[in-house]
Amino acid sequence: MKEADKKEIESLRKTIHVHDHHYYVKNSPSISDREYDSLYHRLKELESKYPQWVTPDSPTQRVGGKVEQRFRQITHPTPMLSLDNTYNVDEVRAFHKRIIKGLPDVAEDSIEYIVELKFDGLAVALTYEDGRLVCGTTRGDGKQGEDITANLKTIRSIPLEISSEPFKKIEVRGEVYMPIKEFQRLNAIRETKGESPFANPRNAAAGALRVLDPSITDSRKLGIFIYTVGFMDNNVCKTHFELQQILASLRFPINEHNRLCSNFEETIAVIEEWRQKKNNLDYEVDGLVIQLNSLAYRKKLGNTSKFPRWAVAYKYEAEQVETEILEIVCQVGRTGSITPVAYLEPVFVSGSTVSRATLHNEDEIKRKDIRVGDRVVIEKAGEIIPKVVRLVDPKAKRKAPFKMPTVCPECQMKIFRPEGEAAWRCINATCPAQLKERLKHFASRNAMDIDNMGPAVIAQLVESGRVKNFSDLYTLKQDEVASLERLAEKSAQNLIDAIEKSKSAGLARLLFGLGVRHVGQRAASILAETFRSIENLRTTPYEDIESVIEIGPVIAESLKSFFDQKTNLQDIENLSNMGVLVEEQGEARKEGVLIGKQFVLTGTLSNISRNEAKQKIESLGGRVTSSVSGKTDFLVAGKDAGSKLAKAKALKITVLDEKELQKIIGSV
Ligand code: IVH
């Protein structure tokens, strides 16, 4: 009966794939959940009897694949470009004019466009070989992405197998998104656990995709729309529209609102049509993508290094809504700066409910004359925190103007507004509000990444006096943590484990987490790479830190005053004694040789590509820029060097030929 079972397995798989497609892509289930479950269980039963017949594309294998410790880097078959943005109809018209100019032999009225929604998610690429999904990657830097196949397989609308006709090999591209409802559900859960909520569905989706445990991705209920092809081994069609129809017939989820426009004016009508309508969708859309339909015309126009010339994004302005200011509260940041925040009557705007808006600083409140009780217009400008745009009716009867407090709302010490600065500051180094913020930052995802250490936990640790600095975190015991309010026993253990794990976060994360003013993520990773230990950074003379490219005097100054404080040094020593890594691990780069040196490459190099030369220079700590200026240290002049060479000579910049460059970088 073995053969019959094998046949049944194959048929069950096919049937389940078809039902998945109806359920997750077409949103119209073809059988009841119960019937579906019974098919699924039958397949599971047979597969456990014959484990040798379990294939990676079986519907039972969506969750449970393995992700390697670090995601593998995969080079895309063709670069994943981004799109040039336009913000008004005139710019879209200018785009159309460029198209007409670039296609002189084509009659304007025969130019068709496809207009699609621009989904606000994450671009991914999926490769199918002989009908099987073999690889799924992120966009990465556009040239190389990360292998997240196991995570992508958990997205039910991604087919694990497709017909191997007409393509033996195809790479499709699309956008993974988190439905707004799912985003709200997830954030509600996070808040009850005392974890900081995700800022928007996009961030939540990104977090879900780049985890090492696919069951987490699976629990986040992501969706995907496929919008294009990066590679196909069979040119079966002439237009994007036809291509998408073929993709749909292969069971890829293609967005139902894609619109074929037979002339340019129709695209403008579609822009107007979606201005409002986009807010009624179950996913976030930040604009439209307008692109040529003809694949031949696309080829003719080609790409710039960043964008295709045949497509453009139209971005809608931020959505604005009215609400009321209930209260103005001053919050203390981790550096002691005091920011006034408006508490709002909750309103739904651009995909989420907001109840707070930043008012930036005292001057801003005065300028806009914002007072408690006012009705105001707010908007979410691109990211996270909404802002108050203006009063709805400046002539309405109003309460008294807002007055900044004179003491810190948290520690009651007198606050100051330094000359030339916009913010008032609390300069009490032991102010608990600052400490809470510093700890939040230290534990945040891009810093030490301590899961489960949300604001509620931090508040209790600080208010009880148990945690006074970063190193105190590493002395916490399981039973102490378990006795905190709102923390279940399991989460207590998870928190202890996460604290332990963070010890090996590495120097860059630690430097960022310490919250030195002006040291952002990028600066932290440059500093870690260059100086390789906190001790080395501390003892390096100011001038040497300042001269590192992208560091400069502001960061160097800030580091100096950080290390000047004994309490900071003591905290770092304690961290190190507890086993927190304060040094870079592994081989040092042959760094140093070119630190602080700026190069410009021009003309044609014969033995090395410009890109390779750039990479080598950068691997030695140098930097390559595109234009010659007073800051340039070396101009590398290849064959037929032109105006850049002339400018470098005029500025008396050292000019190297290819051989001289090789001498410097050759040994790398
Ligand atoms: S087409 C050559 N279509 O927008 C690029 N992109 O700024 C072709 N995006 O990286 C892209 N929705 O992540 C295209 N319907 C859509 C899209 C879309 C969202 C994203 C995509 C891309 C970015 C470009």
Side-chain angles (χ1 to χ4, degrees):
M1 288 314 285
K2 250 182 144 179
E3 265 317 297
D5 286 346
K6 192 168 185 189
K7 281 227 166 77
E8 188 180 351
I9 289 182
E10 279 161 10
S11 133
L12 279 165
R13 272 183 199 151
K14 285 227 160 68
T15 315
I16 293 174
H17 279 312
V18 170
H19 292 311
D20 275 348
H21 179 66
H22 280 279
Y23 189 93
Y24 292 105
V25 179
K26 294 188 156 174
N27 292 325
S28 67
S30 42
I31 52 170
S32 71
D33 289 359
R34 211 183 165 144
E35 286 167 298
Y36 181 91
D37 287 346
S38 89
L39 292 174
Y40 192 88
H41 284 126
R42 174 69 185 145
L43 176 60
K44 272 226 125 164
E45 184 184 55
L46 286 171
E47 285 185 342
S48 59
K49 196 162 153 201
Y50 307 105
Q52 71 275 27
W53 291 339
V54 180
T55 57
D57 62 352
S58 168
T60 60
Q61 302 302 300
R62 284 202 182 261
V63 190
K66 260 211 203 122
V67 181
E68 288 158 36
Q69 259 313 300
R70 286 189 43 201
F71 301 104
R72 225 166 20 119
Q73 291 286 324
I74 307 271
T75 304
H76 302 305
T78 54
M80 290 180 79
L81 302 173
S82 55
L83 292 170
D84 202 1
N85 288 326
T86 59
Y87 296 92
N88 58 52
V89 169
D90 287 344
E91 288 175 5
V92 183
R93 288 190 188 281
F95 159 73
H96 176 58
K97 285 219 175 86
R98 289 198 297 276
I99 298 263
I100 303 175
K101 212 169 151 205
L103 298 171
D105 308 329
V106 180
E108 181 177 348
D109 58 6
S110 68
I111 296 178
E112 290 178 338
Y113 287 97
I114 294 271
V115 182
E116 296 182 14
L117 301 178
K118 186 168 186 299
F119 318 108
D120 197 9
L122 290 114
V124 298
L126 305 167
T127 305
Y128 291 79
E129 281 173 14
D130 297 320
R132 292 191 170 190
L133 173 65
V134 291
C135 184
T137 67
T138 61
R139 173 173 184 272
D141 63 3
K143 293 190 188 92
Q144 280 195 326
E146 287 174 324
D147 180 350
I148 50 163
T149 315
N151 295 345
L152 287 171
K153 278 169 78 175
T154 68
I155 299 176
R156 299 300 192 275
S157 49
I158 293 182
L160 299 178
E161 47 99 57
I162 56 171
S163 161
S164 56
E165 290 300 331
F167 310 108
K168 293 272 163 297
K169 184 166 178 184
I170 182 167
E171 188 222 51
V172 296
R173 293 175 179 178
E175 197 88 350
V176 171
Y177 65 91
M178 180 175 284
I180 294 172
K181 282 217 177 70
E182 173 64 10
F183 167 72
Q184 290 167 337
R185 183 188 73 87
L186 186 67
N187 266 357
I189 297 175
R190 288 178 76 84
E191 284 197 41
T192 58
K193 284 206 229 152
E195 293 169 2
S196 50
F198 286 111
N200 51 40
R202 206 185 101 83
N203 287 8
L209 273 187
R210 293 195 70 257
V211 288
L212 291 171
D213 177 0
S215 68
I216 296 180
T217 321
D218 185 41
S219 69
R220 302 269 170 96
K221 311 290 169 242
L222 302 173
I224 187 170
F225 289 116
I226 297 299
Y227 48 67
T228 197
V229 163
F231 169 85
M232 53 187 170
D233 60 0
N234 190 355
N235 288 325
V236 281
C237 54
K238 293 195 161 54
T239 65
H240 184 70
F241 192 68
E242 287 168 59
L243 179 59
Q244 289 203 331
Q245 284 179 330
I246 296 173
L247 294 177
S249 73
L250 289 172
R251 287 195 278 110
F252 287 110
I254 305 296
N255 188 264
E256 58 183 322
H257 302 297
N258 294 351
R259 191 82 71 78
L260 177 60
C261 298
S262 54
N263 61 55
F264 174 71
E265 287 311 318
E266 274 182 41
T267 68
I268 303 290
V270 179
I271 290 178
E272 297 314 325
E273 180 185 331
W274 279 99
R275 196 176 293 283
Q276 254 329 106
K277 255 172 62 179
K278 72 172 195 319
N279 300 321
N280 307 332
L281 294 164
D282 181 31
Y283 40 86
E284 287 215 335
V285 158
D286 61 347
L288 299 178
V289 177
I290 302 164
Q291 46 191 329
L292 278 184
N293 189 29
S294 155
L295 301 184
Y297 296 169
R298 289 185 181 193
K299 207 165 164 198
K300 229 181 233 172
L301 289 171
N303 308 321
T304 70
S305 63
K306 282 200 199 129
F307 314 123
R309 292 199 181 85
W310 40 262
V312 80
Y314 176 85
K315 294 265 201 149
Y316 288 109
E317 55 279 8
E319 188 194 353
Q320 299 191 333
V321 292
E322 282 184 21
T323 184
E324 186 181 322
I325 300 208
L326 303 177
E327 205 185 343
I328 297 177
V329 172
C330 283
Q331 289 184 346
V332 189
R334 70 186 145 95
T335 56
S337 63
I338 302 207
T339 311
V341 174
Y343 280 53
L344 309 168
E345 179 67 42
V347 275
F348 190 79
V349 53
S350 308
S352 63
T353 302
V354 303
S355 49
R356 270 183 281 186
T358 173
L359 297 172
H360 300 288
N361 55 49
E362 184 182 19
D363 296 346
E364 181 83 359
I365 297 185
K366 279 201 183 128
R367 195 172 63 75
K368 291 183 180 156
D369 189 19
I370 294 164
R371 308 179 189 184
V372 173
D374 284 344
R375 278 203 76 72
V376 289
V377 173
I378 63 156
E379 71 176 24
K380 259 207 292 191
E383 278 293 304
I384 321 177
I385 309 165
K387 64 174 189 195
V388 175
V389 186
R390 61 185 156 81
L391 298 174
V392 172
D393 177 11
K395 295 205 185 87
K397 197 166 172 297
R398 329 240 327 256
K399 294 202 169 127
F402 172 76
K403 268 209 191 103
M404 278 302 274
T406 50
V407 294
C408 170
E410 183 87 13
C411 69
Q412 316 303 325
M413 297 277 273
K414 197 167 177 309
I415 59 173
F416 299 89
R417 182 169 167 181
E419 231 0 85
E421 284 196 22
W424 285 81
R425 264 175 209 290
C426 168
I427 55 164
N428 170 14
T430 59
C431 172
Q434 291 179 46
L435 178 56
K436 283 180 207 167
E437 293 304 313
R438 283 206 300 275
L439 289 167
K440 263 192 228 170
H441 174 76
F442 186 78
S444 66
R445 217 165 306 150
N446 293 328
M448 300 299 271
D449 194 17
I450 307 180
D451 245 3
N452 281 290
M453 200 159 95
V457 170
I458 290 176
Q460 294 176 67
L461 293 172
V462 171
E463 280 158 21
S464 66
R466 176 64 182 81
V467 171
K468 295 198 172 64
N469 46 41
F470 299 132
S471 51
D472 282 348
L473 290 176
Y474 293 88
T475 62
L476 289 171
K477 302 273 175 312
Q478 149 91 34
D479 51 346
E480 276 179 285
V481 173
S483 69
L484 296 175
E485 269 170 50
R486 293 175 62 181
L487 206 69
E489 198 170 313
K490 184 156 175 279
S491 316
Q493 186 56 50
N494 289 345
L495 176 55
I496 293 285
D497 292 348
I499 292 175
E500 184 62 29
K501 192 173 133 221
S502 75
K503 288 182 177 172
S504 48
L507 183 58
R509 282 171 173 274
L510 176 63
L511 276 173
F512 177 56
L514 290 175
V516 182
R517 251 186 117 186
H518 306 294
V519 178
Q521 250 181 297
R522 170 130 184 99
S525 84
I526 294 170
L527 291 168
E529 190 85 61
T530 312
F531 298 102
R532 309 202 54 84
S533 75
I534 293 215
E535 187 51 19
N536 191 18
L537 180 60
R538 185 181 73 80
T539 51
T540 301
Y542 170 87
E543 298 71 38
D544 293 352
I545 298 180
E546 186 206 346
S547 69
V548 173
I549 284 191
E550 290 188 61
I551 297 299
V554 175
I555 294 177
E557 188 67 53
S558 179
L559 283 164
K560 189 171 170 305
S561 48
F562 178 83
F563 288 126
D564 276 348
Q565 290 192 31
K566 281 213 177 72
T567 46
N568 290 337
L569 296 183
Q570 187 60 55
D571 201 17
I572 289 169
E573 192 179 326
N574 291 346
L575 284 171
S576 172
N577 290 339
M578 311 287 175
V580 176
L581 282 183
V582 294
E583 294 174 354
E584 277 292 73
Q585 300 292 291
E587 269 286 286
R589 291 202 304 202
K590 287 182 66 181
E591 100 283 358
V593 196
L594 297 181
I595 282 177
K597 300 291 182 236
Q598 208 158 306
F599 286 70
V600 172
L601 307 175
T602 188
T604 318
L605 304 175
S606 50
N607 291 317
I608 181 171
S609 76
R610 272 214 222 162
N611 214 7
E612 277 174 292
K614 177 168 185 278
Q615 278 174 10
K616 287 195 171 173
I617 291 169
E618 286 173 347
S619 75
L620 293 169
R623 180 165 170 216
V624 179
T625 59
S626 56
S627 56
V628 177
S629 75
K631 288 190 186 155
T632 310
D633 295 293
F634 299 104
L635 179 99
V636 179
K639 234 177 88 200
D640 301 326
S643 63
K644 287 186 189 170
L645 176 57
K647 188 167 175 192
K649 281 185 177 158
L651 290 172
K652 300 209 168 20
I653 288 164
T654 312
V655 176
L656 305 173
D657 61 19
E658 187 171 345
K659 262 200 196 134
E660 288 166 314
L661 174 69
Q662 285 287 0
K663 257 193 216 152
I664 299 176
I665 62 174
S667 58
V668 188

